[in-house]
Amino acid sequence: MSMTSPIIETNESYLKKVEKVHKQNRIKSLLKGLLFLLPSIILFGVFVFYPLFRTIYLSFFLTDAKGATTVFVGWEHYVNMFTDPIFLKSIKNTFLFVIYTVPVTVIISLFLAVIANEKLKGIGFFRTIFSSTMGVSVAAASVFWLYLFNPTMGLLNEFLQMFELDPIGWLTDPKWALISVAVTTIWMNVGFTFLILLGGLQSIDSSLYESADIEGSSYFYKLRRITIPLLSPTLFFVITVSIINSFQTFGQIDILTQGGPANETNLIVYSIYREAFVNYQFGSASAQAVVLFIIILIMTAIQFKVGERRVHYQ
Amino acid sequence: MKKLSFMLTLIAVLLLAACGGGSSDSSSGSGGQTEDGKQIVTFWHSMGGAGQDALNSIVEDFNASQDKIEVVAEYQGTYDESLTKFNAVAGTDSAPTMIQTFEIGTMSMINSGNIKPIQDLIDEDGYDMSGLEENIVNYYSLDGKFYSMPFNSSTPVMYYNKDAFAAAGLDHENPPATFEEIEEVSKKIGEANDGMKGFALQAYGWLWEQLLANQGALLLNNDNGRTGTPTEIGWTEEEGKSILNWVKRMVDDGTFANYGTNGDNMIAGFLAGDVAMFLQSSASARDVIDSADFEVGIAFLPHPGDKERQGVVIGGASLWMIDGKPEEETKAAWEFMKYLQTPEVQGKWHVGTGYFAINPEAYETDIVKEAWEEMPQLKVTVEQLQSTKSSYATQGALMDMLPEGRKIMETALETIYNGGDVDEAYETAVKQFNEAIETANRARGE
């Protein structure tokens, strides 16, 4: 017995030593890792996390025109928000807007990407054309559409008149305004979405198509069984980004309708802007921003839960 | 696949960067001197279009007229946008020497604590403000003290298409003056001019305020905030609804042209002969007269038939001196402000834009006399102002929540344009308006 115990002891102390070294290594690599992350931690801290916490803080106060806090009101902004018809309308319209824009954008872009993926002479020209709206800024695109929608000299109403139809108040009729803004947005987003989807299509291994050809599969069979499944990570990315973008739509609203007619196109980000920089109510604007953040967070979480299952990673 | 996911990450990062970027301002900070030793004065303004051309030429004249001061005029977008930028830089070196702000920003500028009341400079300099238009002095002096220097002032007027009036057999030298007359005339114009719409009212809160004032109604209680902090709206249900009902009747008649909140589209429609009458600031007068290929008439703002015409509130903007600048800079800006009040400059300004001259002596200058002979319409805006009866209603309201109030009324008007119910739209608007006043009072934390 007396022989074995020292051995065990040495064994234990040896294990302890090993553990110590392991621990030291872990701390070292953690520090090293943090060092590498430091630039982004600082940047995110300054430009994302600090503003985020500041926004949450502001949402519990009333403020003066400069945004300095004056009176603590607790949860009042949040409570009021959900009884405020303007805010509820802006939430409803934001969701409608997402439903109008995201599926149509993705379907049109997917169609364009599939046909532009064919190896034909001069296809580069069409690829450039299809992706060209990416190079147009929101402001320029909105002004361009503003002229198309113009009630007096707009091209769209001229067309209608050619077929002897009544002109439409594209941006002033509550039935049409949100649709008009959605059309503008779809047009603007197609370029970017198209480019990403085309990139996804081109990275699909061509040997898969060759094998399918040998088996004599039809075009649509290949599209359904090879293209779409292998494109699913890209599609998933595109849909997530499009939804977030739609929730954050601002520029085209500001230029085309300014939230009108009668708040019909007052989407949530525009409503935040107006609350903060027209009404100078930074408190309730911050509360709205927090709610928007939570909505987007939930939407994205749901997408990752539901969407990811259908995504096929190679 | 690796390549793809790398690309996606890269794009995500770029997107984030793009979203976080926002607009960067390149506008110079104020102060300092030019290379040849002139004192620089930075002047933020909100004059676009013809107004910007006229203003730039005035600034050039001023810079050329002496060799000590160099005024740098910077366009900062609309009054709303400019005020937002100013609030962001107030108290830092990037703040301008002077800024032009709209009349409803008066109260929030005073409350901001970032400005130097020009009364200080008036007293120091012994400058005489009594030469200015009486109604302007009424609006901009609070308890006898000037906080800002009046500069560009306009009133709302009714523009009308004289040719369309003639085609309908109407006397185009005798335009309609009341709500009811406008309805009648609109119907006749529609019949005679192949469905031309009779009347357009831009959904613009400022016009709502003016239509109230013209029937002697207050916007806010406590005498429009002149005798105490307002606690609720000042107009009565009858006064408020008279405007909404008037619009509603024209919408039902099919004589009303809806351009929403977009004033440019409305003017384009007028110029293209789609609509025969519209209300707008007299500041657009020169632009409209020059661009129309028909005879443009300008008339007084209409009022309900059962009320007497009270006149209009001063619209437009004034110039604010920013506090905390070196004394030489402030002095230099003051020299420029005084220059702007001279009859010659005001005459040129009036003729170039349609804003009226805040210094009545300008109407005696040759440039104005000549222009009036050529364009007698420009005179209407001056006559309308001078026949305004001075009261709390026509002095205009003072409160920091007025921009919000305007948006609320615009929503109510647009609801009516699209066939909404008058009672419902009115109740909603009044409720929101009162809530906005209440919140603004609480937010001051006094």
Side-chain angles (χ1 to χ4, degrees):
Chain A
M1 287 298 278
S2 60
M3 282 296 286
T4 48
S5 66
I7 295 174
I8 292 171
E9 264 178 33
T10 11
N11 216 352
E12 259 173 17
S13 67
Y14 172 72
L15 280 177
K16 260 185 196 158
K17 256 188 212 157
V18 168
E19 208 163 279
K20 209 174 167 190
V21 172
H22 267 282
K23 210 173 173 187
Q24 270 174 352
N25 275 346
R26 265 212 306 274
I27 292 172
K28 230 186 219 166
S29 69
L30 179 72
L31 285 178
K32 226 190 251 170
L34 280 178
L35 195 69
F36 279 112
L37 283 174
L38 198 63
S40 62
I41 289 178
I42 291 176
L43 281 176
F44 273 103
V46 171
F47 293 108
V48 178
F49 300 131
Y50 171 72
L52 178 66
F53 289 116
R54 182 77 193 168
T55 302
I56 295 173
Y57 170 78
L58 271 179
S59 71
F60 296 110
F61 287 90
L62 288 170
T63 64
D64 63 14
K66 271 181 292 180
T69 54
T70 51
V71 183
F72 178 77
V73 294
W75 292 97
E76 193 184 303
H77 290 313
Y78 292 93
V79 175
N80 286 347
M81 206 188 305
F82 290 100
T83 52
D84 177 11
I86 299 177
F87 181 74
L88 292 179
K89 196 172 187 180
S90 81
I91 293 247
K92 188 192 105 194
N93 287 337
T94 307
F95 275 97
L96 269 182
F97 185 75
V98 171
I99 294 168
Y100 289 167
T101 52
V102 175
V104 182
T105 309
V106 173
I107 289 168
I108 293 179
S109 315
L110 183 61
F111 172 73
L112 292 177
V114 168
I115 58 172
N117 196 30
E118 300 296 326
K119 289 189 178 59
L120 295 172
K121 218 175 176 187
I123 197 73
F125 173 72
F126 289 98
R127 286 180 187 165
T128 314
I129 294 284
F130 293 159
S131 58
S132 60
T133 61
M134 205 180 125
V136 183
S137 71
V138 175
S142 306
V143 170
F144 164 71
W145 280 90
L146 195 60
Y147 278 102
L148 292 182
F149 289 135
N150 189 295
T152 306
M153 52 204 177
L155 200 62
L156 297 177
N157 275 348
E158 304 245 313
F159 268 128
L160 289 179
Q161 270 163 354
M162 234 159 60
F163 298 106
E164 312 225 322
L165 294 167
D166 280 339
I168 291 172
W170 295 103
L171 299 172
T172 51
D173 186 334
K175 286 196 291 291
W176 284 97
L178 194 61
I179 296 175
S180 303
V181 178
V183 168
T184 309
T185 309
I186 292 168
W187 182 83
M188 278 190 282
N189 290 349
V190 157
F192 170 75
T193 319
F194 162 81
L195 203 67
I196 304 289
L197 289 176
L198 186 66
L201 284 176
Q202 301 213 317
S203 69
I204 295 176
D205 198 340
S206 61
S207 66
L208 292 168
Y209 289 109
E210 283 156 18
S211 320
D213 282 338
I214 293 169
E215 286 179 11
S217 315
S218 74
Y219 179 81
F220 287 101
Y221 188 82
K222 280 187 287 185
L223 188 68
R224 202 152 47 97
R225 291 293 164 136
I226 301 174
T227 312
I228 303 290
L230 290 181
L231 195 60
S232 56
T234 322
L235 271 176
F236 180 65
F237 169 80
V238 156
I239 290 172
T240 312
V241 169
S242 300
I243 288 183
I244 294 178
N245 267 342
S246 283
F247 268 109
Q248 298 184 343
T249 301
F250 173 76
Q252 51 271 55
I253 302 285
D254 191 37
I255 293 172
L256 288 174
T257 62
Q258 299 184 337
N263 290 323
E264 210 52 55
T265 59
N266 192 359
L267 302 188
I268 193 163
V269 174
Y270 191 74
S271 153
I272 293 169
Y273 159 77
R274 187 182 268 183
E275 196 67 13
F277 298 112
V278 177
N279 302 347
Y280 296 117
Q281 300 295 342
F282 291 94
S284 52
S286 299
Q288 292 188 7
V290 171
V291 169
L292 174 66
F293 169 70
I294 293 169
I295 292 176
I296 293 183
L297 195 69
I298 293 172
M299 293 292 290
T300 312
I302 291 175
Q303 278 179 63
F304 271 90
K305 267 250 151 30
V306 179
E308 274 237 294
R309 266 191 251 141
R310 297 173 184 275
V311 171
H312 175 94
Y313 289 107
Q314 218 169 2
Chain B
M1 201 57 225
K2 243 186 186 166
K3 215 166 138 194
L4 175 64
S5 57
F6 171 71
M7 201 176 89
L8 294 185
T9 326
L10 189 74
I11 286 167
V13 169
L14 285 178
L15 272 179
L16 273 179
C19 296
S23 63
S24 61
D25 257 304
S26 58
S27 58
S28 61
S30 66
Q33 294 185 334
T34 57
E35 277 164 23
D36 48 0
K38 286 186 192 172
Q39 174 64 46
I40 294 178
V41 169
T42 347
F43 171 30
W44 282 15
H45 67 86
S46 299
M47 296 279 97
Q52 188 167 13
D53 295 340
L55 186 60
N56 282 342
S57 115
I58 289 172
V59 169
E60 263 166 44
D61 288 352
F62 176 73
N63 287 339
S65 72
Q66 38 73 43
D67 55 4
K68 297 207 173 55
I69 304 164
E70 175 87 13
V71 174
V72 182
E74 290 174 357
Y75 177 66
Q76 296 290 345
T78 63
Y79 294 126
D80 274 321
E81 288 162 358
S82 167
L83 205 53
T84 304
K85 288 183 196 168
F86 172 70
N87 278 324
V89 299
T92 71
D93 282 345
S94 317
T97 326
M98 53 194 274
I99 179 174
Q100 178 195 28
T101 298
F102 53 2
E103 78 283 21
I104 54 172
T106 301
M107 213 59 209
S108 61
M109 287 301 273
I110 294 174
N111 288 343
S112 79
N114 292 318
I115 56 107
K116 186 178 173 71
I118 62 152
Q119 188 69 45
D120 299 358
L121 291 152
I122 294 172
D123 294 343
E124 236 169 77
D125 201 28
Y127 186 71
D128 182 16
M129 296 285 276
S130 64
L132 301 187
E133 181 79 41
E134 188 197 341
N135 289 291
I136 296 192
V137 173
N138 279 341
Y139 188 95
Y140 286 104
S141 64
L142 296 163
D143 306 325
K145 186 173 175 184
F146 280 97
Y147 284 88
S148 61
M149 184 61 119
F151 171 51
N152 56 314
S153 288
S154 65
T155 58
V157 287
M158 186 174 80
Y159 295 76
Y160 64 98
N161 182 335
K162 285 190 178 177
D163 293 8
F165 270 58
L170 296 159
D171 177 7
H172 59 68
E173 293 309 326
N174 196 7
T178 65
F179 289 3
E180 292 76 12
E181 283 171 28
I182 287 180
E183 287 170 49
E184 284 309 306
V185 166
S186 294
K187 282 184 208 157
K188 286 185 189 148
I189 284 175
E191 284 159 20
N193 292 285
D194 187 29
M196 182 192 278
K197 299 282 186 190
F199 187 79
L201 178 66
Q202 181 191 357
Y204 184 17
W206 178 64
L207 290 172
W208 168 266
E209 291 162 16
Q210 297 288 358
L211 288 167
L212 280 179
N214 204 16
Q215 43 181 308
L218 298 171
L219 186 67
L220 303 168
N221 71 350
N222 288 334
D223 300 322
N224 259 344
R226 298 267 168 182
T227 55
T229 307
T231 53
E232 58 177 23
I233 59 161
W235 71 81
T236 63
E237 185 168 336
E238 182 222 340
E239 288 161 339
K241 279 191 182 168
S242 71
I243 300 166
L244 296 181
N245 279 321
W246 168 52
V247 174
K248 176 78 176 165
R249 288 195 298 272
M250 286 190 290
V251 171
D252 292 345
D253 287 347
T255 55
F256 185 84
N258 174 14
Y259 291 98
T261 52
N262 195 320
D264 291 338
N265 282 358
M266 181 175 70
I267 292 177
F270 176 75
L271 294 175
D274 288 349
V275 60
M277 296 175 274
F278 71 97
L279 303 184
Q280 184 61 283
S281 156
S282 60
S284 315
R286 186 63 194 267
D287 255 353
V288 173
I289 295 170
D290 284 349
S291 338
D293 53 9
F294 48 82
E295 277 277 309
V296 177
I298 294 184
F300 284 6
L301 191 75
H303 57 93
D306 54 356
K307 296 269 172 59
E308 210 179 320
R309 195 171 59 79
Q310 298 295 316
V312 289
V313 187
I314 307 290
S318 60
L319 307 174
W320 294 82
M321 192 69 83
I322 305 310
D323 202 16
K325 294 284 174 188
E327 203 185 330
E328 308 84 69
E329 198 179 323
T330 308
K331 282 264 161 63
W334 173 242
E335 286 305 315
F336 179 57
M337 282 188 182
K338 283 195 294 190
Y339 176 78
L340 292 175
Q341 311 305 321
T342 55
E344 294 74 30
V345 172
Q346 282 297 318
K348 190 173 169 187
W349 180 240
H350 168 65
V351 170
T353 56
Y355 284 109
F356 53 77
I358 56 174
N359 186 340
E361 278 175 45
Y363 302 132
E364 306 302 323
T365 58
D366 289 341
I367 178 170
V368 174
K369 280 182 178 162
E370 277 165 31
W372 278 7
E373 231 154 80
E374 204 184 317
M375 287 175 283
Q377 301 101 315
L378 286 176
K379 248 193 300 194
V380 175
T381 172
V382 178
E383 284 163 5
Q384 173 167 255
L385 182 75
Q386 289 176 344
S387 67
T388 290
K389 295 174 187 145
S390 185
S391 68
Y392 286 125
T394 57
Q395 261 185 24
L398 281 178
M399 179 135 191
D400 41 12
M401 54 60 70
L402 288 179
E404 184 174 4
R406 284 189 175 177
K407 297 289 173 205
I408 293 167
M409 294 326 299
E410 286 164 17
T411 301
L413 286 168
E414 281 195 295
T415 311
I416 306 296
Y417 297 172
N418 290 299
D421 181 57
V422 170
D423 292 334
E424 206 182 304
Y426 179 81
E427 301 297 329
T428 316
V430 168
K431 185 167 162 273
Q432 288 173 355
F433 210 110
N434 282 332
E435 279 169 4
I437 296 173
E438 201 183 311
T439 312
N441 282 334
R442 276 178 64 204
R444 243 171 277 122
E446 284 156 2

